[in-house]
Amino acid sequence: MADPKEARVPDIGGYDDVPVIEVLVAVGDVVKQDQGLVTLESDKATMEVPAPFAGTVRALQVKLGDKLSEGSVVALIEPAGDAAADAKPAAASETTAAPATAPTPPPTKPTAETGERVEPVAASKQPDNITRQSIAAAPSTATRAALDDKPGIDAEALPPRSPPVAFDAEGLMPGKVPFASPAVRLFARELGVDLLQLQGTGPNGRLLKEDVQQYVKRSLSGGGAPAAGVAHAGGGLNLLPWPNVDFSKFGETEVKALTRIQKISGANLARNWAMIPHVTQHDDADITDLEALRVALNKENEKAGLKLTMLAFIMKASVSALQKYPNFNASLDAAGENLTLKKYFNIGFAADTPNGLVVPVVRDVDKKGVLQIAKETSELAAKARDGKLGPAEMSGGCFSISSLGGIGGTSFTPIVNAPEVAILGVSKSAMKPVWDGKQFAPRLVLPLSLSYDHRVIDGAAAARFTAYLAQLLGDMRRAML
Ligand code: CAO
């Protein structure tokens, strides 16, 4: 059995402390020469550290998140068969043969374990040429430094030092280059998957092996509902670039940067709008009696300084509708295969703030009375306006309500707040003549607009949900049934 030898990070273009984002092998794995051991990710590119020779991984010296630089030991590999034989002379020849051959490295130089480092290989069948090219700078910075120090070696005779080339794909083709490690690219290439058709579910949207697998799985199963996060081949958005217009040609202009909240909510809204097949169901609720109750209760509670809003009643009624139609109180997974039904009832509400739209969440609305709900919404709305909402106050929602009733409008299309599957839009109530079977009667009518994810909810279910909600708001006693 040959002694395990170190596999080290080769010259990676001068980057230091580059985090490990994937460990591609485990102890006991038999690896081929040049097989990726770990993937490193700098802010510009991902790159694999290749196995310098074939063998068996005997120890892993790194874990996810470790930060590596050129020369860091990644693994101990026991060379296999010929590799062992090749590895030993190369190691032994480091101080003698290596300098003699180093000044004129061949275009594709064989892997040579130096004992100090593992020289990278620029072989023809590389899984990711971009990455390998940047890794396989020849000779490496450290090798040159070692050679420069050797007596009898003419540093001038060495090939000129070329600066490391960082591949800035994003700069060349903004938004067009899939963010994936070489191993994932290779995997996708072997399966004939176009990475541009996928959306990554990894950190910062990175494409994972699982994303490719899900894509293939769905393609083989003949399609079905498109997965959230995965577009079918031929079904990619393939959008035209955003029009780049110099408006100052037409008149005076002023550029105003979006706020941080606008940027965050905008990115979420764009994803939700593009990926969720939205349908909006409109209905009217007769809230004449409810409004009378609200006004009466507000009079009663005037001294306590408590104000009951219509929103609190709508939240309470929504919970009853969610309890009757549990599919609305659910989330679809990223693969579009499973629905998680929630047994708790946390309701988010859109709050308009000077910095943009936020959605605070009132927890366990099923367990609270309308007075308590009104108190919490007004406190959360005040915090939202002051920019003091914490992340916990904006998470865990099951269903959202966007009320523009205090402003105006007769209907609108709210955008589903993924991964929720439905959102209720509320517009301004108005007195309208309503036919009661015998005559027109003046009634206070509240317009409801329920947008839903049509992958999860059918139109008939949405119509039932909205009609039931309108019925509840028409007579809140029904919420007790
Ligand atoms: N019809 C008629 N009047 C309504 C109403 C409705 N549906 N809803 C509220 N009102 C009235 C209230 O009774 C109140 O009147 P009074 O002051 O005379 O009592 C007034 O409008 C203002 O209400 P409000 O909007 O301050 O309070 P609220 O509880 O209804 O709403 C909140 C609170 C936080 C939802 C609201 O302030 C808000 O931010 N709304 C905007 C939400 C939004 O931007 N949605 C769009 C998201 S997508 O871009």
Side-chain angles (χ1 to χ4, degrees), residues 21-22 24 39 46-48 128 179-186 195 206-207:
I21 58 155
E22 274 177 304
L24 303 167
T39 306
T46 53
M47 53 202 117
E48 279 183 10
D128 189 300
F179 185 25
S181 71
V184 172
R185 286 167 197 268
L186 176 65
L195 288 180
R206 188 187 315 118
L207 287 160

Short mmCIF file of all heavy atoms in Angstrom, two decimals, residues 21-22 24 39 46-48 128 179-186 195 206-207:
data_model
loop_
_atom_site.label_atom_id
_atom_site.label_comp_id
_atom_site.label_asym_id
_atom_site.label_seq_id
_atom_site.Cartn_x
_atom_site.Cartn_y
_atom_site.Cartn_z
N ILE A 21 -17.01 25.77 -1.19
CA ILE A 21 -18.48 25.77 -1.26
C ILE A 21 -19.03 24.37 -1.52
O ILE A 21 -20.21 24.14 -1.37
CB ILE A 21 -19.01 26.75 -2.33
CG1 ILE A 21 -18.43 26.40 -3.70
CG2 ILE A 21 -18.74 28.18 -1.96
CD1 ILE A 21 -19.31 26.86 -4.83
N GLU A 22 -18.18 23.46 -1.94
CA GLU A 22 -18.63 22.08 -2.12
C GLU A 22 -17.47 21.15 -1.82
O GLU A 22 -16.33 21.43 -2.21
CB GLU A 22 -19.00 21.83 -3.59
CG GLU A 22 -20.40 22.19 -3.99
CD GLU A 22 -20.59 21.96 -5.49
OE1 GLU A 22 -19.82 22.53 -6.29
OE2 GLU A 22 -21.47 21.19 -5.84
N LEU A 24 -16.46 17.55 -2.85
CA LEU A 24 -16.95 16.68 -3.91
C LEU A 24 -16.63 15.21 -3.68
O LEU A 24 -17.09 14.36 -4.43
CB LEU A 24 -16.36 17.14 -5.26
CG LEU A 24 -16.65 18.60 -5.61
CD1 LEU A 24 -15.78 19.06 -6.77
CD2 LEU A 24 -18.11 18.79 -5.96
N THR A 39 -14.78 22.40 -4.40
CA THR A 39 -15.00 23.58 -5.23
C THR A 39 -14.78 24.82 -4.38
O THR A 39 -15.27 24.89 -3.25
CB THR A 39 -16.45 23.61 -5.78
OG1 THR A 39 -16.69 22.37 -6.44
CG2 THR A 39 -16.65 24.75 -6.76
N THR A 46 -16.03 30.26 -9.79
CA THR A 46 -15.88 29.05 -9.01
C THR A 46 -14.79 28.21 -9.67
O THR A 46 -14.60 28.27 -10.88
CB THR A 46 -17.18 28.23 -8.97
OG1 THR A 46 -17.61 28.02 -10.30
CG2 THR A 46 -18.24 28.92 -8.17
N MET A 47 -14.07 27.44 -8.89
CA MET A 47 -13.01 26.62 -9.44
C MET A 47 -12.85 25.36 -8.61
O MET A 47 -13.06 25.39 -7.39
CB MET A 47 -11.70 27.41 -9.50
CG MET A 47 -11.30 28.03 -8.18
SD MET A 47 -10.18 29.40 -8.45
CE MET A 47 -11.11 30.78 -7.82
N GLU A 48 -12.52 24.29 -9.30
CA GLU A 48 -12.31 23.04 -8.58
C GLU A 48 -10.84 22.83 -8.30
O GLU A 48 -9.99 23.22 -9.09
CB GLU A 48 -12.81 21.87 -9.43
CG GLU A 48 -14.30 21.69 -9.34
CD GLU A 48 -14.77 20.50 -10.13
OE1 GLU A 48 -13.93 19.69 -10.58
OE2 GLU A 48 -15.99 20.38 -10.30
N ASP A 128 -14.13 21.65 -16.99
CA ASP A 128 -14.51 23.05 -17.14
C ASP A 128 -13.29 23.83 -17.58
O ASP A 128 -12.42 24.15 -16.80
CB ASP A 128 -15.03 23.59 -15.83
CG ASP A 128 -15.64 24.96 -16.04
OD1 ASP A 128 -14.93 25.85 -16.50
OD2 ASP A 128 -16.83 25.10 -15.79
N PHE A 179 -24.74 30.42 -12.65
CA PHE A 179 -23.86 30.43 -11.49
C PHE A 179 -23.79 29.00 -10.98
O PHE A 179 -24.71 28.52 -10.33
CB PHE A 179 -24.49 31.38 -10.49
CG PHE A 179 -23.70 31.66 -9.26
CD1 PHE A 179 -22.32 31.53 -9.24
CD2 PHE A 179 -24.34 32.09 -8.12
CE1 PHE A 179 -21.61 31.81 -8.10
CE2 PHE A 179 -23.64 32.37 -6.97
CZ PHE A 179 -22.26 32.23 -6.97
N ALA A 180 -22.73 28.29 -11.38
CA ALA A 180 -22.64 26.87 -11.02
C ALA A 180 -21.19 26.47 -10.93
O ALA A 180 -20.33 27.03 -11.60
CB ALA A 180 -23.34 26.02 -12.07
N SER A 181 -20.94 25.47 -10.11
CA SER A 181 -19.57 24.99 -9.97
C SER A 181 -19.23 24.15 -11.20
O SER A 181 -20.11 23.67 -11.90
CB SER A 181 -19.45 24.13 -8.71
OG SER A 181 -20.11 22.91 -8.93
N PRO A 182 -17.93 23.97 -11.45
CA PRO A 182 -17.54 23.14 -12.59
C PRO A 182 -18.15 21.75 -12.54
O PRO A 182 -18.53 21.19 -13.57
CB PRO A 182 -16.01 23.10 -12.48
CG PRO A 182 -15.66 24.36 -11.77
CD PRO A 182 -16.78 24.61 -10.80
N ALA A 183 -18.25 21.17 -11.33
CA ALA A 183 -18.81 19.81 -11.23
C ALA A 183 -20.26 19.80 -11.69
O ALA A 183 -20.69 18.89 -12.40
CB ALA A 183 -18.72 19.33 -9.78
N VAL A 184 -20.99 20.84 -11.33
CA VAL A 184 -22.40 20.90 -11.74
C VAL A 184 -22.49 21.15 -13.25
O VAL A 184 -23.31 20.57 -13.95
CB VAL A 184 -23.14 22.00 -10.94
CG1 VAL A 184 -24.54 22.22 -11.48
CG2 VAL A 184 -23.21 21.60 -9.47
N ARG A 185 -21.58 21.99 -13.76
CA ARG A 185 -21.57 22.23 -15.21
C ARG A 185 -21.30 20.94 -15.97
O ARG A 185 -21.95 20.63 -16.96
CB ARG A 185 -20.48 23.24 -15.58
CG ARG A 185 -20.79 24.64 -15.20
CD ARG A 185 -19.51 25.46 -15.33
NE ARG A 185 -19.65 26.70 -14.62
CZ ARG A 185 -20.08 27.83 -15.16
NH1 ARG A 185 -20.37 27.87 -16.43
NH2 ARG A 185 -20.21 28.91 -14.45
N LEU A 186 -20.33 20.20 -15.47
CA LEU A 186 -19.97 18.94 -16.13
C LEU A 186 -21.16 17.98 -16.08
O LEU A 186 -21.52 17.37 -17.08
CB LEU A 186 -18.75 18.33 -15.43
CG LEU A 186 -18.33 16.95 -15.96
CD1 LEU A 186 -17.86 17.06 -17.40
CD2 LEU A 186 -17.22 16.35 -15.09
N LEU A 195 -27.99 24.90 -18.76
CA LEU A 195 -28.10 25.51 -17.43
C LEU A 195 -28.89 26.82 -17.45
O LEU A 195 -29.43 27.24 -16.44
CB LEU A 195 -26.71 25.75 -16.84
CG LEU A 195 -25.96 24.49 -16.39
CD1 LEU A 195 -24.60 24.86 -15.83
CD2 LEU A 195 -26.74 23.72 -15.34
N ARG A 206 -27.14 29.92 -6.61
CA ARG A 206 -26.22 29.01 -7.28
C ARG A 206 -26.95 27.74 -7.71
O ARG A 206 -27.80 27.21 -7.00
CB ARG A 206 -25.06 28.66 -6.38
CG ARG A 206 -24.00 27.88 -7.12
CD ARG A 206 -22.89 27.34 -6.24
NE ARG A 206 -22.38 28.30 -5.31
CZ ARG A 206 -22.45 28.14 -4.00
NH1 ARG A 206 -23.03 27.10 -3.48
NH2 ARG A 206 -21.97 29.05 -3.21
N LEU A 207 -26.62 27.25 -8.93
CA LEU A 207 -27.23 26.00 -9.41
C LEU A 207 -26.55 24.83 -8.72
O LEU A 207 -25.33 24.74 -8.67
CB LEU A 207 -27.03 25.89 -10.92
CG LEU A 207 -27.89 26.84 -11.74
CD1 LEU A 207 -27.32 27.02 -13.12
CD2 LEU A 207 -29.31 26.33 -11.82
#
